[in-house]
Amino acid sequence: MMALILKEMRMTLRSLVFYLFIIVTCFFYFTSYATDETWGEVGPPAASVPQNLETAEHPYYGWKQPDNTLELARRMKTVMGWDLNAGTTDKVRMGFPIKSKLDAGEKKILSEAVTKLEVILQDPDKYTMAEVYSIAGETDKQLGGNTMYKVGLRDYGSPIETYDEAVKAQEANLAVYNEKVDAGELLPGAARYFSDYLSLPAGIFPVFLSAFLLLRDRSSRMNELICSRRISPWVYVGSKFIAQGVMLSLVYLILAIIGGWQTVDTLGLTGQTGQAIAYFLGYTAWWLLPTLWASVAFGMFGSMLFRRGIVPVALQIVWWFVSVLPLMGSYGLRHLFIRFNSPNDYKMYRAWADEIALNRSFYLLLAVLLTAGAAWLWERNRSRLDSARTLSKKISTKTLAAPAPEAQR
């Protein structure tokens, strides 16, 4: 089997699509993760004199996010109040927020959510931010889903309108950053951020390679020769799956090493390169690679099931769009990849850790089952081909054995 795996790996190196995959993945890395915006989010907050971005009559010093239960609950209550007063709410359609009129039932749902937030505001220290976000998530479900209350779609930020408030916001951001560093959460947060961005190409581009992997022999007219040999379908299909998965995984593991090194170098974290690389490799393997291996297996299984490579490609594209939102939260089994669009929010991450672990375990198991299914379908197709070939030989033999009409006279 090892010889077949190595052979398939060499075949992958001859594929133009494989090099396109590398280019696209590197493009995502350098335009989504390794950017000034990312270093600004991962690194320490800027310590500068707050600048008024508006006029003296209407001061504006930027935007701040709630960093405690009191601020989050207060801001969420305000947003829900706006929707109740307007009689509308934003629902996401085809990736865009669209105004939708609230009926009586939906207004009641929002009113009940506001009541829950008022209870929290009476004693916010008894609740966590995750519990406040869960109110928004439950409201989203009750409103039919795909609303802006879905966790990860709305950040509940608020404008900073005074100089003193801007100074306090800077101090609060610095305190949160120092707390994150002291807790050892800086590098793991950066690794999660890396995995979030790089999961996007992992959830779609591998299928362009794997969907045509088992059909390649048919197009090269080698199908009958391979099917006639005594080779186990598990060895044949499994070797292709492993070779394809390893080659694609190497791209991400190499980028993880580069990402860990570049993060430490950019942020000036002397002596932490090895630790950063370990975090990046660990999160890549657990967070990102199950998506990649499941995509490879889905392409192989779909091509055997439908006998056409384009069908699993089309289905994968739909699956990708289903999984891409929300940007945070909602880690059900229908999500092919994990979105946690933040290098921070460790407490929220811990609150969802079990759900994320279940999702990742499911996709690892699904990759194995889909590969087994592809092997079974390949063997069934081979059996049909053998039966057709045997029948053809029998017909040919009978035709040759039958005497010519002239010989019977």
Side-chain angles (χ1 to χ4, degrees), residues 66-75 117 120-121 123-132:
D67 58 1
N68 57 64
T69 303
L70 176 62
E71 288 186 10
L72 178 61
R74 183 181 293 159
R75 183 64 181 168
L117 291 171
I120 291 176
L121 288 171
D123 193 358
D125 294 336
K126 292 174 58 177
Y127 302 89
T128 64
M129 292 182 70
E131 289 174 319
V132 180

Short mmCIF file of all heavy atoms in Angstrom, two decimals, residues 66-75 117 120-121 123-132:
data_model
loop_
_atom_site.label_atom_id
_atom_site.label_comp_id
_atom_site.label_asym_id
_atom_site.label_seq_id
_atom_site.Cartn_x
_atom_site.Cartn_y
_atom_site.Cartn_z
N PRO A 66 -18.31 45.76 23.80
CA PRO A 66 -18.56 45.48 25.22
C PRO A 66 -17.58 44.42 25.73
O PRO A 66 -17.35 43.40 25.07
CB PRO A 66 -20.00 44.96 25.21
CG PRO A 66 -20.27 44.54 23.81
CD PRO A 66 -19.43 45.39 22.94
N ASP A 67 -16.99 44.69 26.88
CA ASP A 67 -16.02 43.75 27.43
C ASP A 67 -16.47 43.17 28.76
O ASP A 67 -15.67 42.56 29.48
CB ASP A 67 -14.64 44.41 27.57
CG ASP A 67 -14.69 45.65 28.47
OD1 ASP A 67 -15.78 45.97 28.98
OD2 ASP A 67 -13.64 46.29 28.66
N ASN A 68 -17.73 43.36 29.11
CA ASN A 68 -18.26 42.76 30.33
C ASN A 68 -19.76 42.52 30.15
O ASN A 68 -20.38 43.02 29.20
CB ASN A 68 -17.97 43.64 31.56
CG ASN A 68 -18.54 45.05 31.42
OD1 ASN A 68 -19.75 45.23 31.33
ND2 ASN A 68 -17.65 46.04 31.39
N THR A 69 -20.32 41.78 31.08
CA THR A 69 -21.73 41.39 30.97
C THR A 69 -22.66 42.59 31.00
O THR A 69 -23.65 42.64 30.25
CB THR A 69 -22.09 40.43 32.13
OG1 THR A 69 -21.21 39.30 32.09
CG2 THR A 69 -23.52 39.94 32.01
N LEU A 70 -22.35 43.57 31.85
CA LEU A 70 -23.21 44.74 31.96
C LEU A 70 -23.31 45.50 30.64
O LEU A 70 -24.41 45.81 30.17
CB LEU A 70 -22.67 45.67 33.06
CG LEU A 70 -23.41 47.01 33.24
CD1 LEU A 70 -24.86 46.76 33.65
CD2 LEU A 70 -22.69 47.88 34.26
N GLU A 71 -22.17 45.78 30.02
CA GLU A 71 -22.17 46.53 28.76
C GLU A 71 -22.84 45.75 27.65
O GLU A 71 -23.59 46.30 26.84
CB GLU A 71 -20.73 46.87 28.36
CG GLU A 71 -20.09 47.94 29.23
CD GLU A 71 -18.73 48.35 28.70
OE1 GLU A 71 -18.39 47.94 27.58
OE2 GLU A 71 -18.01 49.06 29.42
N LEU A 72 -22.56 44.44 27.59
CA LEU A 72 -23.15 43.63 26.52
C LEU A 72 -24.67 43.56 26.66
O LEU A 72 -25.40 43.74 25.67
CB LEU A 72 -22.54 42.22 26.56
CG LEU A 72 -23.10 41.23 25.53
CD1 LEU A 72 -22.87 41.72 24.11
CD2 LEU A 72 -22.46 39.85 25.72
N ALA A 73 -25.16 43.28 27.87
CA ALA A 73 -26.61 43.17 28.07
C ALA A 73 -27.29 44.51 27.80
O ALA A 73 -28.38 44.56 27.20
CB ALA A 73 -26.90 42.71 29.50
N ARG A 74 -26.67 45.61 28.24
CA ARG A 74 -27.25 46.93 28.02
C ARG A 74 -27.32 47.26 26.53
O ARG A 74 -28.35 47.74 26.03
CB ARG A 74 -26.42 47.97 28.77
CG ARG A 74 -26.96 49.38 28.69
CD ARG A 74 -26.04 50.33 29.43
NE ARG A 74 -26.04 50.06 30.86
CZ ARG A 74 -25.07 50.45 31.69
NH1 ARG A 74 -24.03 51.10 31.23
NH2 ARG A 74 -25.17 50.20 32.99
N ARG A 75 -26.24 46.95 25.82
CA ARG A 75 -26.20 47.24 24.38
C ARG A 75 -27.18 46.35 23.61
O ARG A 75 -27.88 46.82 22.69
CB ARG A 75 -24.78 47.04 23.87
CG ARG A 75 -24.58 47.36 22.41
CD ARG A 75 -24.81 48.82 22.12
NE ARG A 75 -24.64 49.13 20.71
CZ ARG A 75 -24.99 50.25 20.14
NH1 ARG A 75 -25.52 51.22 20.85
NH2 ARG A 75 -24.80 50.44 18.85
N LEU A 117 -33.02 40.20 29.54
CA LEU A 117 -31.85 41.08 29.67
C LEU A 117 -32.01 42.02 30.85
O LEU A 117 -31.02 42.34 31.54
CB LEU A 117 -31.66 41.87 28.37
CG LEU A 117 -31.22 41.06 27.15
CD1 LEU A 117 -31.27 41.91 25.90
CD2 LEU A 117 -29.81 40.50 27.35
N ILE A 120 -30.91 40.26 33.90
CA ILE A 120 -29.44 40.21 33.98
C ILE A 120 -28.88 41.55 34.43
O ILE A 120 -27.95 41.61 35.25
CB ILE A 120 -28.87 39.81 32.62
CG1 ILE A 120 -29.22 38.34 32.29
CG2 ILE A 120 -27.35 40.00 32.58
CD1 ILE A 120 -28.77 37.88 30.93
N LEU A 121 -29.45 42.64 33.93
CA LEU A 121 -28.94 43.97 34.27
C LEU A 121 -29.14 44.31 35.75
O LEU A 121 -28.43 45.17 36.29
CB LEU A 121 -29.64 45.02 33.41
CG LEU A 121 -29.22 45.05 31.93
CD1 LEU A 121 -30.13 45.96 31.12
CD2 LEU A 121 -27.77 45.49 31.81
N ASP A 123 -28.44 42.29 38.20
CA ASP A 123 -27.27 41.74 38.91
C ASP A 123 -26.34 41.10 37.88
O ASP A 123 -26.25 39.87 37.78
CB ASP A 123 -27.71 40.72 39.95
CG ASP A 123 -26.59 40.36 40.91
OD1 ASP A 123 -25.46 40.88 40.73
OD2 ASP A 123 -26.83 39.56 41.84
N PRO A 124 -25.64 41.90 37.05
CA PRO A 124 -24.84 41.36 35.94
C PRO A 124 -23.67 40.47 36.37
O PRO A 124 -23.22 39.63 35.59
CB PRO A 124 -24.34 42.62 35.23
CG PRO A 124 -24.41 43.69 36.26
CD PRO A 124 -25.57 43.36 37.13
N ASP A 125 -23.18 40.63 37.60
CA ASP A 125 -22.04 39.83 38.05
C ASP A 125 -22.37 38.35 38.19
O ASP A 125 -21.47 37.51 38.25
CB ASP A 125 -21.52 40.37 39.40
CG ASP A 125 -20.93 41.76 39.27
OD1 ASP A 125 -20.51 42.11 38.15
OD2 ASP A 125 -20.90 42.50 40.28
N LYS A 126 -23.65 38.03 38.24
CA LYS A 126 -24.05 36.62 38.38
C LYS A 126 -24.07 35.89 37.05
O LYS A 126 -24.26 34.67 37.00
CB LYS A 126 -25.45 36.55 39.01
CG LYS A 126 -25.51 37.00 40.46
CD LYS A 126 -26.95 37.04 40.97
CE LYS A 126 -27.64 35.70 40.85
NZ LYS A 126 -29.02 35.74 41.41
N TYR A 127 -23.85 36.62 35.94
CA TYR A 127 -23.97 36.02 34.61
C TYR A 127 -22.67 36.21 33.82
O TYR A 127 -21.88 37.12 34.10
CB TYR A 127 -25.14 36.65 33.84
CG TYR A 127 -26.47 36.51 34.53
CD1 TYR A 127 -26.91 37.48 35.44
CD2 TYR A 127 -27.30 35.42 34.29
CE1 TYR A 127 -28.14 37.36 36.08
CE2 TYR A 127 -28.52 35.29 34.93
CZ TYR A 127 -28.94 36.26 35.82
OH TYR A 127 -30.15 36.13 36.45
N THR A 128 -22.48 35.36 32.84
CA THR A 128 -21.32 35.46 31.95
C THR A 128 -21.75 36.08 30.62
O THR A 128 -22.95 36.12 30.30
CB THR A 128 -20.70 34.09 31.68
OG1 THR A 128 -21.65 33.28 30.96
CG2 THR A 128 -20.33 33.39 32.98
N MET A 129 -20.78 36.52 29.85
CA MET A 129 -21.09 37.08 28.53
C MET A 129 -21.67 36.00 27.61
O MET A 129 -22.53 36.29 26.77
CB MET A 129 -19.83 37.70 27.92
CG MET A 129 -19.34 38.94 28.65
SD MET A 129 -17.89 39.71 27.90
CE MET A 129 -18.59 40.37 26.39
N ALA A 130 -21.20 34.77 27.77
CA ALA A 130 -21.73 33.67 26.95
C ALA A 130 -23.22 33.47 27.21
O ALA A 130 -23.99 33.17 26.28
CB ALA A 130 -20.97 32.38 27.24
N GLU A 131 -23.65 33.65 28.47
CA GLU A 131 -25.07 33.51 28.78
C GLU A 131 -25.89 34.64 28.16
O GLU A 131 -27.03 34.42 27.74
CB GLU A 131 -25.25 33.49 30.30
CG GLU A 131 -24.74 32.21 30.96
CD GLU A 131 -24.79 32.26 32.48
OE1 GLU A 131 -24.45 33.33 33.05
OE2 GLU A 131 -25.17 31.24 33.10
N VAL A 132 -25.31 35.83 28.10
CA VAL A 132 -26.00 36.94 27.44
C VAL A 132 -26.12 36.66 25.94
O VAL A 132 -27.19 36.85 25.34
CB VAL A 132 -25.27 38.27 27.69
CG1 VAL A 132 -26.00 39.42 26.99
CG2 VAL A 132 -25.16 38.56 29.18
#
